[in-house]
Amino acid sequence: MLSPPVFTNFESAYVEVIRHITDGYEYRNAPRGNTARECVGLSFQIANPLERLPFLAARKVNPVFHFAEALWYMAGRTDLDMIGHYAPRMRHSSRDGKTIVGSAYGSRIFNPVGGDSVSPFDRVIALLRSEADSKRGLMPIFTADELAVDGNPDMSCVVALHLLAREGRLHMVCYMRANDCDRGLLSDVFSFTMIQELAAVQLGLGIGSYTHHIGSAHIGDRDYDRVRRVLAEAALRPRPVTYAFPAMPADTTLATIDDVLKYEERLRTNEAEYTPDDIAGLGFAPYWQQVLLLFEAYRQIRFRGNDPVEENVQRALDPGLRWLMARRWPTRISDGSTP
Ligand code: 5HM
């Protein structure tokens, strides 16, 4: 078979990828000191890219970080102020202590580059409006000048994102030079499928498939035990929660993202606190209200000692997001299954 294997959702693809590398790795190596198991050349496709979160207690994903990173990309940002708040580890990837270069993928897609006055994202949207069948909807990310930086702490792992409109649906193909399949893979697929969805909404198309191609697909030794636990849990399905995976509202634009980020900044800096009613009154669709509720919950986790997150915020969270938050911060949020 020459096509990549197709999975219904990200969770099933992720479990198969880590199973494949764990059982069938080709190499043991340690590039830049990171000991890992590696397969060279790995691809998969996801039929429904909206189902972008894995619900596995052993993996404990952080939905606050995932939404923050996706929004940070879509706003074309490079600042550590925002992303470092949600992922302190990213501070190690900064060359100047203030910005991220290689991994700030959004800055290469959503800002004009190379003397153009229009961003690659807007160019591709315009192209696909004028020629739906085009194969040229490519947004490059990796740049050759990254090879010339001595001891580069942060070389882009993504080579390009590619949009293809076919028969009323918008597909995305992602090309990666390397992916840590128990770390970067989770946040990369989450953010890139959100960018795909944003593009589909702009074009008035349905969501198509998401295809992911990786050059070096690896799992670090530091994560090996956790990966074994995830595989053991996955063998004992069914899923613990049913999450509706809502679609991005059809009226979402880049201005919506900027608006959400205004409130995000107030919460991140602890300048404001919002009840669920406050958030409902800000004029956002329920989809974006859930994102702001996550930021409010995280504000309470970060700035309120060891207190549990307010009960009304917990109750207003979508049950699936609440379940994930309860796995990640079990002393601050309950999953609502016990009164
Ligand atoms: O030595 P190298 O530059 O490839 O190290 C970066 C590590 O972070 C690799 O394990 C790479 O696969 C992982 N990574 C990822 O999987 C990093 C980023 C950030 O650019 C990412 N996905 N988005």
Side-chain angles (χ1 to χ4, degrees):
M1 187 167 79
L2 297 181
S3 310
V6 182
F7 298 89
T8 329
N9 55 29
F10 174 66
E11 181 182 301
S12 45
Y14 160 64
V15 169
E16 183 56 22
V17 166
I18 56 174
R19 194 198 58 71
H20 178 78
I21 299 174
T22 305
D23 293 352
Y25 62 90
E26 296 171 86
Y27 302 101
R28 289 286 276 148
N29 53 23
R32 296 200 305 131
N34 298 313
T35 51
R37 291 168 170 79
E38 181 190 55
C39 291
V40 171
L42 187 152
S43 303
F44 61 84
Q45 189 173 85
I46 300 170
N48 182 5
L50 266 53
E51 295 195 21
R52 52 175 72 94
L53 282 167
F55 287 85
L56 291 154
R59 186 54 189 80
K60 294 184 183 30
V61 298
N62 174 356
V64 183
F65 164 69
H66 285 318
F67 278 107
E69 187 176 59
L71 291 168
W72 187 73
Y73 288 150
M74 292 192 278
R77 291 170 67 152
T78 60
D79 60 303
L80 258 183
D81 270 353
M82 178 179 165
I83 204 63
H85 177 75
Y86 300 101
R89 194 196 312 263
M90 282 181 79
R91 296 186 186 279
H92 303 301
S93 304
S94 175
R95 289 185 220 164
D96 62 3
K98 295 192 182 79
T99 54
I100 293 284
V101 179
S103 300
Y105 304 136
S107 69
R108 308 207 178 156
I109 296 178
F110 291 97
N111 298 331
V113 287
D116 195 352
S117 57
V118 175
S119 72
F121 182 81
D122 287 341
R123 286 271 174 221
V124 167
I125 297 292
L127 170 72
L128 298 184
R129 279 202 180 108
S130 65
E131 198 209 352
D133 287 349
S134 181
K135 308 184 288 287
R136 296 182 171 184
L138 189 92
M139 300 179 284
I141 294 179
F142 179 85
T143 56
D145 57 0
E146 295 183 67
L147 290 167
V149 179
D150 270 347
N152 192 343
D154 178 32
M155 177 187 275
S156 175
C157 292
V158 188
V159 179
L161 297 178
H162 190 188
L163 291 172
L164 297 136
R166 296 290 180 268
E167 299 181 358
R169 299 195 304 142
L170 187 69
H171 305 278
M172 178 179 269
V173 182
C174 168
Y175 308 90
M176 309 276 312
R177 71 167 173 87
N179 230 179
D180 180 324
C181 292
D182 193 45
R183 293 189 180 217
L185 179 70
L186 288 89
S187 44
D188 291 340
V189 173
F190 184 93
S191 290
F192 303 158
T193 55
M194 264 192 88
I195 293 172
Q196 175 186 6
E197 198 180 2
L198 177 71
V201 162
Q202 305 310 296
L203 290 164
L205 298 173
I207 190 90
S209 61
Y210 173 84
T211 306
H212 197 82
H213 296 299
I214 311 172
S216 161
H218 50 270
I219 294 172
D221 283 4
R222 62 186 172 176
D223 298 321
Y224 189 67
D225 290 344
R226 177 174 66 191
V227 162
R228 306 290 302 188
R229 287 198 301 278
V230 172
L231 290 172
E233 181 183 345
L236 299 172
R237 296 170 179 235
R239 299 164 66 88
V241 287
T242 307
Y243 179 50
F245 293 102
M248 190 181 285
D251 60 359
T252 302
T253 62
L254 287 172
T256 317
I257 307 297
D258 286 343
D259 276 350
V260 172
L261 285 175
K262 274 187 218 140
Y263 294 99
E264 176 278 331
E265 182 172 357
R266 287 178 204 162
L267 294 170
R268 167 165 40 94
T269 53
N270 201 24
E271 276 166 24
E273 51 181 81
Y274 297 125
T275 64
D277 282 349
D278 294 334
I279 290 173
L282 295 175
F284 291 103
Y287 181 96
W288 295 111
Q289 289 178 31
Q290 284 294 319
V291 178
L292 289 173
L293 279 165
L294 285 175
F295 291 138
E296 168 61 26
Y298 189 62
R299 184 192 68 77
Q300 296 184 25
I301 289 168
R302 282 293 292 267
F303 296 110
R304 281 210 185 156
N306 295 320
D307 292 350
V309 171
E310 302 266 1
E311 192 52 41
N312 58 354
V313 171
Q314 295 199 36
R315 270 201 310 271
L317 276 172
D318 177 283
L321 295 176
R322 183 174 177 180
W323 188 90
L324 292 174
M325 294 290 280
R327 296 286 134 348
R328 183 77 183 203
W329 287 285
T331 61
R332 316 297 295 277
I333 296 194
S334 78
D335 65 15
S337 59
T338 45

